[in-house]
Amino acid sequence: MNSQAEKLYQVAVDLDARVSYFLQGVTAAALAYAVQKAEDISSADPISATLAMATLVLWGLSFVAGCAQLSAMVTIVQSNLREIQLQVLAAKTKEQLREVPAAFLKDLADLKKSVERKGKLKKVFSQLQLWSLGLGAIVFVTWRLLPVFEILK
């Protein structure tokens, strides 16, 4: 990997991590706020109780998806590091033996497949985190505005 590609990769990884941690913070704060607002839900009407529970479930799902996404991101970075190490080792071995052993090539291919799978999984978790956070916000606003507009009375 050349210097510019390495820098670009590092910027992309840093940006992705910052966005992920930011969304985790937003989700945790929103979840804590919803739990605080849901403390008196037992005396509320069934629709408000349902909306409160839906909010908590969606934001809880968003938080768990964010954790899974961060875990996948760490695994991808570690796998990329391992791939670089294998490539360097393969290059050194090729210099000494005039060819790369099949085991190295298989390890590299398996590692690339693993990174691709984790990348797809990370994308799914990222989308799940964002969508459940957004839907939870819509449900939360609906839940909190019902009494204001006295829709249920």
Side-chain angles (χ1 to χ4, degrees):
M1 208 186 281
N2 67 27
S3 178
Q4 287 181 329
E6 288 174 4
K7 288 178 184 175
L8 185 59
Y9 175 76
Q10 187 61 43
V11 167
V13 169
D14 288 344
L15 181 62
D16 195 28
R18 287 179 186 187
V19 169
S20 296
Y21 284 113
F22 173 75
L23 287 176
Q24 280 298 89
V26 169
T27 302
L31 193 54
Y33 186 68
V35 166
Q36 180 188 24
K37 291 297 180 185
E39 286 178 351
D40 60 343
I41 203 67
S42 61
S43 63
D45 58 273
I47 294 176
S48 286
T50 303
L51 290 173
M53 288 306 296
T55 299
L56 293 172
V57 167
L58 284 167
W59 283 345
L61 177 64
S62 178
F63 189 80
V64 169
C67 290
Q69 176 197 358
L70 290 170
S71 176
M73 187 171 32
V74 167
T75 302
I76 288 169
V77 170
Q78 289 172 339
S79 296
N80 284 337
L81 178 61
R82 179 68 180 138
E83 181 180 356
I84 291 169
Q85 290 170 338
L86 281 174
Q87 288 173 344
V88 168
L89 188 59
K92 287 180 182 179
T93 304
K94 186 176 181 180
E95 287 176 6
Q96 294 172 355
L97 301 177
R98 304 271 184 209
E99 70 179 68
V100 178
F104 277 180
L105 297 176
K106 184 181 181 321
D107 285 349
L108 276 170
D110 290 346
L111 201 53
K112 285 181 182 181
K113 287 179 187 175
S114 174
V115 168
E116 287 174 10
R117 275 194 315 271
K118 282 290 185 181
K120 289 176 184 175
L121 192 60
K122 182 193 167 306
K123 184 177 180 180
V124 167
F125 285 131
S126 176
Q127 290 173 344
L128 181 61
Q129 179 187 24
L130 192 58
W131 278 98
S132 57
L133 179 62
L135 288 174
I138 291 168
V139 173
F140 179 79
V141 169
T142 304
W143 163 40
R144 299 309 295 168
L145 287 180
L146 282 178
V148 172
F149 294 110
E150 297 181 4
I151 294 172
L152 299 175
K153 294 182 180 180

PDB file of all heavy atoms in Angstrom, residues 17-31 59-70 125 129 133:
ATOM      1  N   ALA A  17     -15.137   5.422  12.732  1.00  0.00           N
ATOM      2  CA  ALA A  17     -15.146   5.207  14.184  1.00  0.00           C
ATOM      3  C   ALA A  17     -15.799   6.388  14.904  1.00  0.00           C
ATOM      4  O   ALA A  17     -16.608   6.191  15.820  1.00  0.00           O
ATOM      5  CB  ALA A  17     -13.732   4.989  14.702  1.00  0.00           C
ATOM      6  N   ARG A  18     -15.474   7.599  14.489  1.00  0.00           N
ATOM      7  CA  ARG A  18     -16.061   8.777  15.133  1.00  0.00           C
ATOM      8  C   ARG A  18     -17.579   8.807  14.969  1.00  0.00           C
ATOM      9  O   ARG A  18     -18.306   9.107  15.919  1.00  0.00           O
ATOM     10  CB  ARG A  18     -15.456  10.053  14.563  1.00  0.00           C
ATOM     11  CG  ARG A  18     -14.044  10.290  15.021  1.00  0.00           C
ATOM     12  CD  ARG A  18     -13.479  11.538  14.428  1.00  0.00           C
ATOM     13  NE  ARG A  18     -12.062  11.652  14.787  1.00  0.00           N
ATOM     14  CZ  ARG A  18     -11.336  12.692  14.534  1.00  0.00           C
ATOM     15  NH1 ARG A  18     -11.859  13.734  13.900  1.00  0.00           N
ATOM     16  NH2 ARG A  18     -10.073  12.724  14.881  1.00  0.00           N
ATOM     17  N   VAL A  19     -18.047   8.527  13.772  1.00  0.00           N
ATOM     18  CA  VAL A  19     -19.496   8.499  13.532  1.00  0.00           C
ATOM     19  C   VAL A  19     -20.145   7.407  14.370  1.00  0.00           C
ATOM     20  O   VAL A  19     -21.191   7.625  14.989  1.00  0.00           O
ATOM     21  CB  VAL A  19     -19.800   8.309  12.025  1.00  0.00           C
ATOM     22  CG1 VAL A  19     -21.270   8.007  11.793  1.00  0.00           C
ATOM     23  CG2 VAL A  19     -19.391   9.548  11.242  1.00  0.00           C
ATOM     24  N   SER A  20     -19.534   6.248  14.417  1.00  0.00           N
ATOM     25  CA  SER A  20     -20.091   5.135  15.189  1.00  0.00           C
ATOM     26  C   SER A  20     -20.172   5.466  16.674  1.00  0.00           C
ATOM     27  O   SER A  20     -21.195   5.220  17.318  1.00  0.00           O
ATOM     28  CB  SER A  20     -19.242   3.877  14.990  1.00  0.00           C
ATOM     29  OG  SER A  20     -19.289   3.468  13.646  1.00  0.00           O
ATOM     30  N   TYR A  21     -19.091   6.022  17.216  1.00  0.00           N
ATOM     31  CA  TYR A  21     -19.100   6.381  18.636  1.00  0.00           C
ATOM     32  C   TYR A  21     -20.076   7.526  18.919  1.00  0.00           C
ATOM     33  O   TYR A  21     -20.719   7.549  19.973  1.00  0.00           O
ATOM     34  CB  TYR A  21     -17.692   6.729  19.130  1.00  0.00           C
ATOM     35  CG  TYR A  21     -16.841   5.505  19.341  1.00  0.00           C
ATOM     36  CD1 TYR A  21     -15.732   5.257  18.544  1.00  0.00           C
ATOM     37  CD2 TYR A  21     -17.149   4.577  20.331  1.00  0.00           C
ATOM     38  CE1 TYR A  21     -14.947   4.129  18.743  1.00  0.00           C
ATOM     39  CE2 TYR A  21     -16.386   3.449  20.530  1.00  0.00           C
ATOM     40  CZ  TYR A  21     -15.280   3.227  19.728  1.00  0.00           C
ATOM     41  OH  TYR A  21     -14.521   2.107  19.919  1.00  0.00           O
ATOM     42  N   PHE A  22     -20.193   8.458  18.005  1.00  0.00           N
ATOM     43  CA  PHE A  22     -21.157   9.542  18.166  1.00  0.00           C
ATOM     44  C   PHE A  22     -22.575   8.979  18.218  1.00  0.00           C
ATOM     45  O   PHE A  22     -23.363   9.340  19.108  1.00  0.00           O
ATOM     46  CB  PHE A  22     -21.028  10.551  17.023  1.00  0.00           C
ATOM     47  CG  PHE A  22     -22.105  11.598  17.028  1.00  0.00           C
ATOM     48  CD1 PHE A  22     -22.077  12.637  17.945  1.00  0.00           C
ATOM     49  CD2 PHE A  22     -23.168  11.529  16.138  1.00  0.00           C
ATOM     50  CE1 PHE A  22     -23.094  13.602  17.965  1.00  0.00           C
ATOM     51  CE2 PHE A  22     -24.173  12.484  16.145  1.00  0.00           C
ATOM     52  CZ  PHE A  22     -24.139  13.524  17.056  1.00  0.00           C
ATOM     53  N   LEU A  23     -22.901   8.097  17.288  1.00  0.00           N
ATOM     54  CA  LEU A  23     -24.247   7.497  17.287  1.00  0.00           C
ATOM     55  C   LEU A  23     -24.487   6.655  18.544  1.00  0.00           C
ATOM     56  O   LEU A  23     -25.600   6.639  19.069  1.00  0.00           O
ATOM     57  CB  LEU A  23     -24.460   6.648  16.028  1.00  0.00           C
ATOM     58  CG  LEU A  23     -24.640   7.434  14.739  1.00  0.00           C
ATOM     59  CD1 LEU A  23     -24.747   6.496  13.547  1.00  0.00           C
ATOM     60  CD2 LEU A  23     -25.861   8.340  14.818  1.00  0.00           C
ATOM     61  N   GLN A  24     -23.442   5.992  19.038  1.00  0.00           N
ATOM     62  CA  GLN A  24     -23.590   5.244  20.286  1.00  0.00           C
ATOM     63  C   GLN A  24     -23.896   6.187  21.445  1.00  0.00           C
ATOM     64  O   GLN A  24     -24.747   5.892  22.288  1.00  0.00           O
ATOM     65  CB  GLN A  24     -22.315   4.451  20.600  1.00  0.00           C
ATOM     66  CG  GLN A  24     -22.182   3.158  19.845  1.00  0.00           C
ATOM     67  CD  GLN A  24     -23.280   2.184  20.168  1.00  0.00           C
ATOM     68  OE1 GLN A  24     -24.328   2.192  19.520  1.00  0.00           O
ATOM     69  NE2 GLN A  24     -23.066   1.352  21.139  1.00  0.00           N
ATOM     70  N   GLY A  25     -23.228   7.315  21.489  1.00  0.00           N
ATOM     71  CA  GLY A  25     -23.489   8.295  22.542  1.00  0.00           C
ATOM     72  C   GLY A  25     -24.890   8.871  22.468  1.00  0.00           C
ATOM     73  O   GLY A  25     -25.582   9.008  23.479  1.00  0.00           O
ATOM     74  N   VAL A  26     -25.309   9.211  21.251  1.00  0.00           N
ATOM     75  CA  VAL A  26     -26.669   9.736  21.054  1.00  0.00           C
ATOM     76  C   VAL A  26     -27.695   8.696  21.474  1.00  0.00           C
ATOM     77  O   VAL A  26     -28.670   9.011  22.174  1.00  0.00           O
ATOM     78  CB  VAL A  26     -26.885  10.150  19.575  1.00  0.00           C
ATOM     79  CG1 VAL A  26     -28.350  10.432  19.281  1.00  0.00           C
ATOM     80  CG2 VAL A  26     -26.037  11.361  19.239  1.00  0.00           C
ATOM     81  N   THR A  27     -27.486   7.472  21.063  1.00  0.00           N
ATOM     82  CA  THR A  27     -28.431   6.400  21.403  1.00  0.00           C
ATOM     83  C   THR A  27     -28.480   6.166  22.908  1.00  0.00           C
ATOM     84  O   THR A  27     -29.567   6.017  23.479  1.00  0.00           O
ATOM     85  CB  THR A  27     -28.042   5.095  20.678  1.00  0.00           C
ATOM     86  OG1 THR A  27     -28.024   5.331  19.274  1.00  0.00           O
ATOM     87  CG2 THR A  27     -29.016   3.989  20.982  1.00  0.00           C
ATOM     88  N   ALA A  28     -27.337   6.135  23.554  1.00  0.00           N
ATOM     89  CA  ALA A  28     -27.309   5.915  25.008  1.00  0.00           C
ATOM     90  C   ALA A  28     -28.019   7.043  25.743  1.00  0.00           C
ATOM     91  O   ALA A  28     -28.795   6.793  26.675  1.00  0.00           O
ATOM     92  CB  ALA A  28     -25.861   5.788  25.489  1.00  0.00           C
ATOM     93  N   ALA A  29     -27.781   8.276  25.317  1.00  0.00           N
ATOM     94  CA  ALA A  29     -28.447   9.414  25.955  1.00  0.00           C
ATOM     95  C   ALA A  29     -29.955   9.370  25.721  1.00  0.00           C
ATOM     96  O   ALA A  29     -30.743   9.610  26.643  1.00  0.00           O
ATOM     97  CB  ALA A  29     -27.868  10.727  25.425  1.00  0.00           C
ATOM     98  N   ALA A  30     -30.357   9.056  24.500  1.00  0.00           N
ATOM     99  CA  ALA A  30     -31.783   8.973  24.182  1.00  0.00           C
ATOM    100  C   ALA A  30     -32.445   7.853  24.978  1.00  0.00           C
ATOM    101  O   ALA A  30     -33.562   8.014  25.501  1.00  0.00           O
ATOM    102  CB  ALA A  30     -31.977   8.740  22.682  1.00  0.00           C
ATOM    103  N   LEU A  31     -31.766   6.734  25.092  1.00  0.00           N
ATOM    104  CA  LEU A  31     -32.305   5.603  25.852  1.00  0.00           C
ATOM    105  C   LEU A  31     -32.457   5.962  27.324  1.00  0.00           C
ATOM    106  O   LEU A  31     -33.494   5.675  27.943  1.00  0.00           O
ATOM    107  CB  LEU A  31     -31.378   4.400  25.673  1.00  0.00           C
ATOM    108  CG  LEU A  31     -31.849   3.033  26.109  1.00  0.00           C
ATOM    109  CD1 LEU A  31     -33.186   2.676  25.478  1.00  0.00           C
ATOM    110  CD2 LEU A  31     -30.820   1.987  25.757  1.00  0.00           C
ATOM    111  N   TRP A  59     -34.582   1.937  20.537  1.00  0.00           N
ATOM    112  CA  TRP A  59     -33.311   2.528  20.941  1.00  0.00           C
ATOM    113  C   TRP A  59     -32.380   1.496  21.564  1.00  0.00           C
ATOM    114  O   TRP A  59     -31.160   1.588  21.421  1.00  0.00           O
ATOM    115  CB  TRP A  59     -33.545   3.718  21.864  1.00  0.00           C
ATOM    116  CG  TRP A  59     -33.989   4.935  21.087  1.00  0.00           C
ATOM    117  CD1 TRP A  59     -33.901   5.123  19.735  1.00  0.00           C
ATOM    118  CD2 TRP A  59     -34.563   6.120  21.607  1.00  0.00           C
ATOM    119  NE1 TRP A  59     -34.394   6.354  19.395  1.00  0.00           N
ATOM    120  CE2 TRP A  59     -34.816   6.991  20.522  1.00  0.00           C
ATOM    121  CE3 TRP A  59     -34.913   6.546  22.875  1.00  0.00           C
ATOM    122  CZ2 TRP A  59     -35.375   8.251  20.667  1.00  0.00           C
ATOM    123  CZ3 TRP A  59     -35.470   7.804  23.031  1.00  0.00           C
ATOM    124  CH2 TRP A  59     -35.707   8.648  21.938  1.00  0.00           C
ATOM    125  N   GLY A  60     -32.943   0.514  22.238  1.00  0.00           N
ATOM    126  CA  GLY A  60     -32.110  -0.589  22.735  1.00  0.00           C
ATOM    127  C   GLY A  60     -31.500  -1.373  21.584  1.00  0.00           C
ATOM    128  O   GLY A  60     -30.316  -1.733  21.596  1.00  0.00           O
ATOM    129  N   LEU A  61     -32.312  -1.635  20.558  1.00  0.00           N
ATOM    130  CA  LEU A  61     -31.820  -2.320  19.364  1.00  0.00           C
ATOM    131  C   LEU A  61     -30.731  -1.491  18.676  1.00  0.00           C
ATOM    132  O   LEU A  61     -29.717  -2.038  18.228  1.00  0.00           O
ATOM    133  CB  LEU A  61     -32.984  -2.572  18.400  1.00  0.00           C
ATOM    134  CG  LEU A  61     -32.649  -3.227  17.067  1.00  0.00           C
ATOM    135  CD1 LEU A  61     -32.109  -4.633  17.274  1.00  0.00           C
ATOM    136  CD2 LEU A  61     -33.888  -3.252  16.183  1.00  0.00           C
ATOM    137  N   SER A  62     -30.927  -0.193  18.614  1.00  0.00           N
ATOM    138  CA  SER A  62     -29.930   0.685  18.011  1.00  0.00           C
ATOM    139  C   SER A  62     -28.604   0.596  18.771  1.00  0.00           C
ATOM    140  O   SER A  62     -27.534   0.529  18.155  1.00  0.00           O
ATOM    141  CB  SER A  62     -30.434   2.133  18.008  1.00  0.00           C
ATOM    142  OG  SER A  62     -29.465   3.002  17.480  1.00  0.00           O
ATOM    143  N   PHE A  63     -28.676   0.579  20.088  1.00  0.00           N
ATOM    144  CA  PHE A  63     -27.457   0.511  20.885  1.00  0.00           C
ATOM    145  C   PHE A  63     -26.734  -0.819  20.679  1.00  0.00           C
ATOM    146  O   PHE A  63     -25.515  -0.860  20.475  1.00  0.00           O
ATOM    147  CB  PHE A  63     -27.772   0.711  22.373  1.00  0.00           C
ATOM    148  CG  PHE A  63     -26.547   0.864  23.211  1.00  0.00           C
ATOM    149  CD1 PHE A  63     -25.879   2.076  23.274  1.00  0.00           C
ATOM    150  CD2 PHE A  63     -26.035  -0.202  23.928  1.00  0.00           C
ATOM    151  CE1 PHE A  63     -24.731   2.219  24.032  1.00  0.00           C
ATOM    152  CE2 PHE A  63     -24.888  -0.065  24.685  1.00  0.00           C
ATOM    153  CZ  PHE A  63     -24.227   1.149  24.743  1.00  0.00           C
ATOM    154  N   VAL A  64     -27.486  -1.919  20.682  1.00  0.00           N
ATOM    155  CA  VAL A  64     -26.882  -3.241  20.487  1.00  0.00           C
ATOM    156  C   VAL A  64     -26.282  -3.348  19.082  1.00  0.00           C
ATOM    157  O   VAL A  64     -25.177  -3.872  18.901  1.00  0.00           O
ATOM    158  CB  VAL A  64     -27.918  -4.355  20.741  1.00  0.00           C
ATOM    159  CG1 VAL A  64     -27.408  -5.713  20.299  1.00  0.00           C
ATOM    160  CG2 VAL A  64     -28.307  -4.385  22.216  1.00  0.00           C
ATOM    161  N   ALA A  65     -27.004  -2.838  18.080  1.00  0.00           N
ATOM    162  CA  ALA A  65     -26.483  -2.861  16.705  1.00  0.00           C
ATOM    163  C   ALA A  65     -25.205  -2.036  16.601  1.00  0.00           C
ATOM    164  O   ALA A  65     -24.265  -2.411  15.897  1.00  0.00           O
ATOM    165  CB  ALA A  65     -27.534  -2.349  15.727  1.00  0.00           C
ATOM    166  N   GLY A  66     -25.152  -0.919  17.310  1.00  0.00           N
ATOM    167  CA  GLY A  66     -23.947  -0.096  17.315  1.00  0.00           C
ATOM    168  C   GLY A  66     -22.765  -0.821  17.942  1.00  0.00           C
ATOM    169  O   GLY A  66     -21.642  -0.740  17.446  1.00  0.00           O
ATOM    170  N   CYS A  67     -23.020  -1.544  19.029  1.00  0.00           N
ATOM    171  CA  CYS A  67     -21.954  -2.336  19.649  1.00  0.00           C
ATOM    172  C   CYS A  67     -21.449  -3.415  18.692  1.00  0.00           C
ATOM    173  O   CYS A  67     -20.234  -3.623  18.561  1.00  0.00           O
ATOM    174  CB  CYS A  67     -22.449  -2.986  20.946  1.00  0.00           C
ATOM    175  SG  CYS A  67     -22.745  -1.833  22.293  1.00  0.00           S
ATOM    176  N   ALA A  68     -22.379  -4.082  18.015  1.00  0.00           N
ATOM    177  CA  ALA A  68     -21.998  -5.120  17.055  1.00  0.00           C
ATOM    178  C   ALA A  68     -21.214  -4.515  15.890  1.00  0.00           C
ATOM    179  O   ALA A  68     -20.252  -5.113  15.397  1.00  0.00           O
ATOM    180  CB  ALA A  68     -23.238  -5.844  16.548  1.00  0.00           C
ATOM    181  N   GLN A  69     -21.615  -3.334  15.456  1.00  0.00           N
ATOM    182  CA  GLN A  69     -20.914  -2.661  14.370  1.00  0.00           C
ATOM    183  C   GLN A  69     -19.488  -2.315  14.785  1.00  0.00           C
ATOM    184  O   GLN A  69     -18.541  -2.519  14.027  1.00  0.00           O
ATOM    185  CB  GLN A  69     -21.661  -1.397  13.957  1.00  0.00           C
ATOM    186  CG  GLN A  69     -20.925  -0.603  12.910  1.00  0.00           C
ATOM    187  CD  GLN A  69     -21.410   0.816  12.779  1.00  0.00           C
ATOM    188  OE1 GLN A  69     -22.335   1.230  13.445  1.00  0.00           O
ATOM    189  NE2 GLN A  69     -20.770   1.574  11.927  1.00  0.00           N
ATOM    190  N   LEU A  70     -19.317  -1.781  15.980  1.00  0.00           N
ATOM    191  CA  LEU A  70     -17.976  -1.440  16.461  1.00  0.00           C
ATOM    192  C   LEU A  70     -17.105  -2.680  16.598  1.00  0.00           C
ATOM    193  O   LEU A  70     -15.919  -2.660  16.262  1.00  0.00           O
ATOM    194  CB  LEU A  70     -18.064  -0.691  17.793  1.00  0.00           C
ATOM    195  CG  LEU A  70     -18.619   0.719  17.696  1.00  0.00           C
ATOM    196  CD1 LEU A  70     -18.894   1.282  19.089  1.00  0.00           C
ATOM    197  CD2 LEU A  70     -17.661   1.626  16.939  1.00  0.00           C
ATOM    198  N   PHE A 125     -25.295  -3.824  10.364  1.00  0.00           N
ATOM    199  CA  PHE A 125     -25.427  -3.298  11.725  1.00  0.00           C
ATOM    200  C   PHE A 125     -25.463  -1.772  11.736  1.00  0.00           C
ATOM    201  O   PHE A 125     -26.189  -1.165  12.516  1.00  0.00           O
ATOM    202  CB  PHE A 125     -24.307  -3.807  12.630  1.00  0.00           C
ATOM    203  CG  PHE A 125     -24.475  -5.237  13.057  1.00  0.00           C
ATOM    204  CD1 PHE A 125     -23.437  -6.128  12.939  1.00  0.00           C
ATOM    205  CD2 PHE A 125     -25.680  -5.681  13.580  1.00  0.00           C
ATOM    206  CE1 PHE A 125     -23.587  -7.444  13.343  1.00  0.00           C
ATOM    207  CE2 PHE A 125     -25.841  -6.997  13.978  1.00  0.00           C
ATOM    208  CZ  PHE A 125     -24.787  -7.883  13.856  1.00  0.00           C
ATOM    209  N   GLN A 129     -28.552   0.263  13.145  1.00  0.00           N
ATOM    210  CA  GLN A 129     -28.363   1.248  14.210  1.00  0.00           C
ATOM    211  C   GLN A 129     -29.023   2.571  13.844  1.00  0.00           C
ATOM    212  O   GLN A 129     -29.768   3.150  14.630  1.00  0.00           O
ATOM    213  CB  GLN A 129     -26.875   1.462  14.476  1.00  0.00           C
ATOM    214  CG  GLN A 129     -26.609   2.502  15.553  1.00  0.00           C
ATOM    215  CD  GLN A 129     -25.146   2.848  15.699  1.00  0.00           C
ATOM    216  OE1 GLN A 129     -24.350   2.689  14.765  1.00  0.00           O
ATOM    217  NE2 GLN A 129     -24.767   3.330  16.876  1.00  0.00           N
ATOM    218  N   LEU A 133     -32.546   4.008  15.470  1.00  0.00           N
ATOM    219  CA  LEU A 133     -32.429   5.276  16.187  1.00  0.00           C
ATOM    220  C   LEU A 133     -33.436   6.277  15.647  1.00  0.00           C
ATOM    221  O   LEU A 133     -34.155   6.939  16.406  1.00  0.00           O
ATOM    222  CB  LEU A 133     -31.005   5.829  16.073  1.00  0.00           C
ATOM    223  CG  LEU A 133     -30.721   7.166  16.755  1.00  0.00           C
ATOM    224  CD1 LEU A 133     -30.930   7.063  18.259  1.00  0.00           C
ATOM    225  CD2 LEU A 133     -29.297   7.614  16.449  1.00  0.00           C
TER     226      LEU A 133
END
